């Protein structure tokens, strides 16, 4: 019998988005059999207290899962530290984890895909499982339930303790990396934006756990499993978002949730056309388009 991974949900101060995220998760086929750990970050100041309290009052009413645990932080950790600390705590105990943030809508079969992938690909050269997928042109005629990518995605994802506990959050090899044009080019297999984001992180201009996570994946030459049809879509874009602003690059088609059993390959192959199309979503041209189409 498949042992289900615990779910970690990270929340802050957006009640509307949090409700939608939980509603969709409750509609997952495996919700009633899954353990849910909700991490609630603290307010940045007294002014922000009321919005955080609204979310926390709502979280106390959440049911529909095997068990719901709420972990409230007295201080404002920020998203990066919240995720690193929270995932580390749960994954050490359970060996694997599924992670969501408070602005992600999941399909009813999201947990099916994530749990089956985590079970099938444990102890292989896979870095993470992504619930999100772009609606790439080549996927329209693609037959398999999954494909491989070089870049982990932070919208509904899963991984294992032996991967997570060895992530280099301090990015110790950065000074060697930044001097090597060859390494930087290889890092850009997942998108041309990645070296620039990493540089911003190192220089303290952004606080991103995800770019450090992606860099660790690159250093270890590991891959991410993506679903052919996305099991996740984001509702987090706009003025109230802390880390994501308006964009159309990530629009996708959410799975209707009817498929519950997925077929995986023990020796999966990289499809170069999909890699190319995935990378193109992060091209300078597409990033510029976002700025001028809203």
């Amino acid at each position: 019998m498949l042992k289900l991974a615990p779910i970690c949900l990270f929340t802050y101060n957006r009640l509307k988005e949090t409700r939608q995220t939980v509603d969709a998760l409750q509609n997952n086929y495996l919700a009633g059999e899954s353990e849910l750990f909700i991490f609630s970050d603290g307010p940045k100041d007294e002014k922000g207290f009321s919005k955080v309290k609204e979310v926390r009052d709502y979280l106390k009413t959440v049911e529909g899962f095997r068990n719901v645990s709420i972990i409230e932080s007295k201080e404002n950790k920020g998203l990066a530290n919240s995720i690193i600390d929270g995932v580390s705590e749960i994954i050490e105990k359970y060996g694997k984890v599924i992670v969501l943030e408070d602005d992600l809508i999941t399909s009813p079969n999201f947990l099916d895909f994530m749990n089956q992938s985590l079970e099938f690909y444990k102890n292989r050269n896979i870095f993470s499982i992504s619930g999100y997928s772009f609606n790439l042109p080549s996927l329209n005629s693609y037959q398999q339930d999954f494909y491989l990518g070089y870049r982990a995605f932070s919208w509904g994802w899963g991984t294992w303790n032996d991967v997570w506990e060895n992530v280099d959050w301090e990015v110790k090899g950065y000074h060697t990396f930044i001097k090597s044009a060859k390494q930087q080019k290889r890092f850009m297999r997942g998108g041309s934006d990645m070296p620039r984001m990493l540089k911003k992180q190192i220089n303290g201009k952004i606080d991103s756990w995800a770019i450090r996570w992606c860099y660790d994946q690159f250093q270890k030459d590991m891959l991410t499993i993506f679903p052919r049809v996305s099991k996740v879509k984001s509702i987090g874009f706009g003025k109230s978002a802390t880390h994501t602003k308006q964009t159309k690059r990530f629009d996708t088609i959410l799975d209707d949730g009817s498929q519950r059993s997925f077929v995986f390959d023990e020796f999966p192959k990289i499809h170069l056309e999909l890699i190319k199309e995935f990378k193109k979503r992060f091209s300078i041209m597409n990033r510029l388009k976002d700025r001028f189409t809203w």
Side-chain angles (χ1 to χ4, degrees):
M1 184 178 175
L2 180 61
K3 187 175 181 181
L4 301 184
I7 307 160
C8 289
L9 171 61
F10 291 87
T11 68
Y12 181 38
N13 65 357
R14 292 184 291 173
L15 179 60
K16 180 183 175 183
E17 289 86 348
T18 301
R19 279 183 179 275
Q20 290 177 266
T21 297
V22 172
D23 285 348
L25 193 57
Q26 285 170 325
N27 285 327
N28 264 253
Y29 299 117
L30 292 176
E33 302 168 47
S34 301
E35 279 202 69
L36 176 63
F37 294 87
I38 307 177
F39 291 84
S40 169
D41 200 10
K44 291 179 181 176
D45 48 41
E46 284 296 320
K47 202 159 82 172
F49 179 79
S50 61
K51 284 191 172 182
V52 171
K53 186 179 183 302
E54 278 182 351
V55 172
R56 289 180 174 180
D57 287 344
Y58 162 68
L59 294 178
K60 291 178 176 67
T61 71
V62 172
E63 28 184 56
F65 301 88
R66 198 180 85 178
N67 188 53
V68 179
S69 302
I70 302 170
I71 302 94
E72 297 179 356
S73 175
K74 291 181 181 178
E75 60 185 26
N76 181 263
K77 290 184 171 185
L79 182 61
N81 287 332
S82 292
I83 286 184
I84 292 170
D85 292 348
V87 170
S88 297
E89 178 186 341
I90 302 304
I91 205 169
E92 184 179 9
K93 182 178 178 183
Y94 291 87
K96 57 185 175 180
V97 73
I98 295 168
V99 183
L100 289 165
E101 294 172 32
D102 61 359
D103 54 6
L104 300 172
I105 301 298
T106 53
S107 63
N109 60 0
F110 165 73
L111 292 176
D112 290 286
F113 179 82
M114 298 301 293
N115 277 290
Q116 289 170 42
S117 301
L118 284 167
E119 181 64 22
F120 191 91
Y121 285 109
K122 66 181 178 181
N123 302 321
R124 302 178 192 268
N125 193 45
I126 298 298
F127 191 76
S128 65
I129 309 297
S130 174
Y132 172 84
S133 176
F134 287 114
N135 183 29
L136 303 175
S138 292
L139 291 174
N140 293 328
S141 57
Y142 190 75
Q143 298 301 310
Q144 290 183 283
D145 290 334
F146 73 98
Y147 65 97
L148 294 170
Y150 288 115
R151 178 181 188 153
F153 225 86
S154 61
W155 292 351
W157 56 275
T159 194
W160 307 266
N161 189 41
D162 60 345
V163 174
W164 184 260
E165 68 179 354
N166 292 309
V167 173
D168 173 22
W169 297 112
E170 296 175 17
V171 196
K172 297 185 186 75
Y174 180 75
H175 295 296
T176 302
F177 166 80
I178 201 63
K179 294 174 186 175
S180 171
K182 185 178 179 181
Q183 281 196 49
Q184 290 180 59
K185 184 179 180 182
R186 189 171 174 82
F187 190 35
M188 287 192 283
R189 290 182 303 181
S192 63
D193 60 323
M194 296 178 82
R196 185 167 173 267
M197 281 180 65
L198 187 62
K199 185 177 182 180
K200 282 186 173 183
Q201 172 66 33
I202 296 298
N203 292 335
K205 293 183 178 178
I206 60 172
D207 182 23
S208 171
W209 68 274
I211 190 59
R212 288 178 278 167
W213 193 45
C214 288
Y215 177 75
D216 191 76
Q217 175 176 9
F218 152 73
Q219 287 288 1
K220 292 169 180 170
D221 199 23
M222 297 176 77
L223 297 160
T224 290
I225 297 289
F226 288 88
R228 178 175 57 84
V229 184
S230 189
K231 312 293 183 270
V232 178
K233 74 172 182 178
S234 174
I235 54 169
F237 297 105
K239 293 178 181 177
S240 66
T242 304
H243 295 276
T244 50
K245 302 305 178 185
Q246 291 177 331
T247 177
K248 290 183 177 178
R249 272 185 297 142
F250 302 104
D251 288 352
T252 194
I253 297 171
L254 189 66
D255 196 331
D256 64 10
S258 59
Q259 182 181 358
R260 294 201 58 191
S261 182
F262 299 92
V263 178
F264 302 101
D265 190 339
E266 190 174 352
F267 303 105
K269 295 178 182 177
I270 292 171
H271 292 261
L272 295 179
E273 194 59 34
L274 289 172
I275 294 293
K276 185 178 174 184
E277 291 171 3
F278 188 103
K279 182 179 178 181
K280 189 176 179 182
R281 293 298 177 100
F282 297 95
S283 69
I284 294 172
M285 183 63 71
N286 275 327
R287 298 201 314 264
L288 284 173
K289 275 182 186 176
D290 274 345
R291 296 185 184 183
F292 300 109
T293 53
W294 282 87

